[in-house]
Amino acid sequence: MKIQFCGAARQVTGSSHLLTLDNGFKILLDCGLFQGSYADDLVKNSSFIFHPAEVDCVVLSHAHIDHSGRLPKLVKDGFSGQIHATHATRSLATIMLLDSAFIQERDAEYDNRKHHKRDHDSNAPREALYTTQDVDRTMDLFVGYSYNQWHHIHKDVRVMFADAGHILGSASVTLEIHENGKSTLLGFTGDIGRPNRPILRDPQSMPECDFLICESTYGNRMHESQPNEMDRFLGIIRHTCLEKKGKLIIPAFSVGRTQEIVYLLDQAHNAGTLPAIKVFVDSPLAINATAVYGSHSECFDNELHQYLLIDKNPFGFNNLIYVRDVEHSKSLNTLKEPCIIISSSGMMNAGRVKHHLFNNIEDPRATFLIVGYCSPETPGGKLRNGASGLKLFNEYKEVKAGVEVMDSFSAHGDQEEMKNFILNQKKKVKKVFLVHGEYETQQTFQSYLGQHGFEDIYIPAMSEMVRLK
């Protein structure tokens, strides 16, 4: 068999890896959108380096758009096989892909209206990457599974999903492949979650594999320890909202990060440590995703199950306001009172938070709290790296607001947590492929794993094909 790395190779987004068995059966692991620089991503996302109609099935690790976001494009371009995922991933993918389709349609309309971004070889209007109709066709192809059970997806291939503890429904993937008279186990970590985080169960170990595809997003750093997390979070809230009397704006991914932050605020409210200020969740997708979380309590950890005995709604409290209406969202820009605004996207390169960034970045009373990974070229990445100004909506803005970073909120395991997750693989694994990370970060993680007994660690390039022997 051979594997081709079709995305998230020496970069973080666009997760997609094509496995071709010797009998010709093709399995696509993830089918994610490339995210970051708009112009570059538009080109990357518009075509595949393989023929979609030749892919027999997709195995999806989780619903984040950088892992699932090109599935409707795959279907639009000819794929008609089954998409295998956990039950919760299917539920989340429904709302996330519809939201993505709305964005694709709106962006195409905007570009055509402004006479920008024409097709390369003609003056034809730019077509949306995919539409809501493409999403409807895509969802018809999903097949849902429970964790920790083997299922045949081909007469010679079985799949098992294990809880990755990253977002609701996230999973590591193990494929048991029978060919040429022998059995091979190929593992794909997906995105590795973190132990002892709120809401979800801890990541579960994978079976020992012959070959392993491993994420590496935070392969060069350690996260802040959890005991200090709440104290620091509340300190930032008090400094911004009580001392500076400004807005605390938290750009957060709609799925996973937003629910965790709301849950922590709910706990602080019940404990009496949260100041009496309004908290706005300004993201329709986050609101829909929170409802999905509520319908999949089978994914919750024991701590949340115990918390539900004293608080039936861990995602709702006095002064928490969910904002769906566009006009309500716009009104937050002129709101004078201190408040917390949680809004997507997490990288601040799209969505409603981009408008909050535009309207508050020059306000020294405001603070932007970055709680997750941001591609370096995005507004969030530039703020993380200390930019003194940003160009937003064709206007230059000085950075006068405060900028704080709390990677402890990250849903990705850090260097040590990822190493511990795959530590059981050392005895059997023949080769580890590092994906889903910036190249320099991957090189650091490669060296770190080597120091801990892993022998053959490879960093594939984009489009590279490797035969597994």
Side-chain angles (χ1 to χ4, degrees):
M1 76 186 87
K2 57 188 177 182
I3 187 164
Q4 185 174 23
F5 298 90
C6 307
R10 304 189 183 183
Q11 58 185 296
V12 171
T13 64
S15 179
S16 184
H17 316 295
L18 182 63
L19 183 68
T20 304
L21 307 190
D22 289 346
N23 63 11
F25 190 76
K26 294 186 177 183
I27 304 167
L28 187 63
L29 298 172
D30 285 353
C31 189
L33 270 179
F34 294 95
Q35 297 172 300
S37 171
Y38 177 79
D40 290 343
D41 293 345
L42 186 60
V43 174
K44 290 179 184 177
N45 288 324
S46 295
S47 62
F48 295 94
I49 60 176
F50 52 84
H51 297 295
E54 294 179 0
V55 176
D56 292 288
C57 70
V58 174
V59 179
L60 179 62
S61 65
H62 65 288
H64 271 152
I65 287 297
D66 63 324
H67 292 257
S68 70
R70 281 211 293 173
L71 283 171
K73 173 65 174 170
L74 190 77
V75 172
K76 180 180 178 179
D77 288 359
F79 172 75
S80 59
Q82 292 182 326
I83 301 169
H84 306 281
T86 65
H87 295 298
T89 290
R90 188 196 186 285
S91 297
L92 280 178
T94 303
I95 61 171
M96 295 189 74
L97 293 177
L98 281 172
D99 181 77
S100 179
F102 285 132
I103 293 172
Q104 305 300 332
E105 292 169 341
R106 188 176 65 241
D107 286 350
E109 289 174 4
Y110 175 83
D111 285 349
N112 293 328
R113 188 168 63 248
K114 297 296 183 180
H115 305 291
H116 291 162
K117 309 294 184 188
R118 295 300 188 184
D119 290 348
H120 295 296
D121 299 320
S122 73
N123 288 323
R126 182 169 78 81
E127 183 180 312
L129 189 67
Y130 51 81
T131 67
T132 54
Q133 288 76 24
D134 295 316
V135 174
D136 290 341
R137 293 168 55 212
T138 300
M139 298 316 302
D140 287 340
L141 302 178
F142 267 77
V143 181
Y145 300 94
S146 301
Y147 287 122
N148 303 319
Q149 296 180 8
W150 287 101
H151 302 276
H152 276 280
I153 59 174
H154 178 266
K155 64 181 181 67
D156 297 324
V157 183
R158 294 197 303 167
V159 65
M160 185 179 74
F161 296 98
D163 197 337
H166 174 63
I167 64 167
L168 194 82
S170 62
S172 62
V173 174
T174 304
L175 295 174
E176 182 186 56
I177 301 162
H178 295 276
E179 62 178 6
N180 304 321
K182 65 177 182 178
S183 177
T184 300
L185 289 182
L186 183 142
F188 174 39
T189 64
D191 285 355
I192 301 169
R194 306 186 60 205
N196 304 315
R197 294 302 303 166
I199 302 178
L200 302 178
R201 294 190 296 260
D202 289 353
Q204 299 175 7
S205 296
M206 301 174 64
E208 295 179 8
C209 298
D210 298 291
F211 301 96
L212 181 68
I213 304 169
C214 180
E215 76 120 319
S216 54
T217 310
Y218 284 110
N220 63 346
R221 70 187 77 173
M222 302 288 288
H223 294 322
E224 184 178 13
S225 61
Q226 189 175 1
N228 301 326
E229 179 181 66
M230 183 60 89
D231 288 342
R232 184 169 175 224
F233 187 32
L234 290 173
I236 293 170
I237 293 172
R238 287 191 290 267
H239 176 64
T240 302
C241 300
L242 300 185
E243 296 172 18
K244 294 198 298 179
K245 300 190 183 304
K247 297 175 182 175
L248 176 60
I249 299 167
I250 307 176
F253 296 110
S254 298
V255 178
R257 204 68 42 82
T258 293
Q259 289 74 34
E260 181 174 337
I261 292 169
V262 169
Y263 176 46
L264 291 177
L265 291 171
D266 188 275
Q267 290 177 307
H269 172 80
N270 286 338
T273 56
L274 180 66
I277 54 176
K278 292 179 180 177
V279 179
F280 298 95
V281 176
D282 187 20
S283 167
L285 176 59
I287 298 170
N288 293 335
T290 302
V292 173
Y293 265 65
S295 65
H296 282 280
S297 59
E298 77 276 7
C299 297
F300 294 167
D301 63 13
N302 185 62
E303 178 186 330
L304 181 50
H305 281 297
Q306 294 299 315
Y307 188 75
L308 286 168
L309 297 176
I310 60 172
D311 186 344
K312 293 182 179 179
N313 183 8
F315 306 115
F317 54 90
N318 292 339
N319 288 333
L320 177 65
I321 301 162
Y322 286 97
V323 179
R324 284 188 181 273
D325 183 71
V326 173
E327 294 305 316
H328 190 181
S329 175
K330 290 180 179 178
S331 73
L332 299 182
N333 294 321
T334 56
L335 186 68
K336 301 301 182 185
E337 63 185 271
C339 63
I340 299 172
I341 300 173
I342 306 166
S343 186
S344 63
S345 70
M347 298 188 194
M348 291 187 271
N349 60 332
R352 292 181 177 181
V353 76
K354 195 171 180 181
H355 294 272
H356 296 307
L357 178 63
F358 179 84
N359 284 282
N360 293 278
I361 193 63
E362 294 187 321
D363 184 354
R365 297 172 301 169
T367 300
F368 287 85
L369 174 57
I370 300 173
V371 293
Y373 175 82
C374 298
S375 295
E377 72 278 6
T378 63
K382 291 175 182 177
L383 287 182
R384 283 186 69 117
N385 292 327
S388 58
L390 297 172
K391 189 176 182 181
L392 300 166
F393 301 111
N394 294 318
E395 184 176 332
Y396 182 80
K397 293 279 190 176
E398 289 186 50
V399 177
K400 297 180 182 178
V403 178
E404 299 283 349
V405 177
M406 287 188 66
D407 282 333
S408 62
F409 278 113
S410 176
H412 286 270
D414 63 18
Q415 185 184 69
E416 184 176 22
E417 290 165 343
M418 289 191 294
K419 179 262 294 180
N420 290 341
F421 180 77
I422 66 171
L423 204 56
N424 70 320
Q425 302 292 333
K426 278 198 305 183
K427 296 178 183 178
K428 184 177 181 180
V429 70
K430 300 174 183 176
K431 199 178 194 73
V432 177
F433 299 95
L434 297 185
V435 298
H436 206 288
E438 303 293 343
Y439 188 42
E440 290 184 3
T441 299
Q442 291 179 314
Q443 291 175 310
T444 300
F445 193 46
Q446 180 185 44
S447 176
Y448 178 77
L449 290 179
Q451 294 167 14
H452 287 84
F454 288 87
E455 295 182 354
D456 193 347
I457 310 143
Y458 187 67
I459 304 173
M462 182 67 180
S463 303
E464 184 173 357
M465 189 176 292
V466 178
R467 175 162 287 278
L468 305 181
K469 299 179 181 180

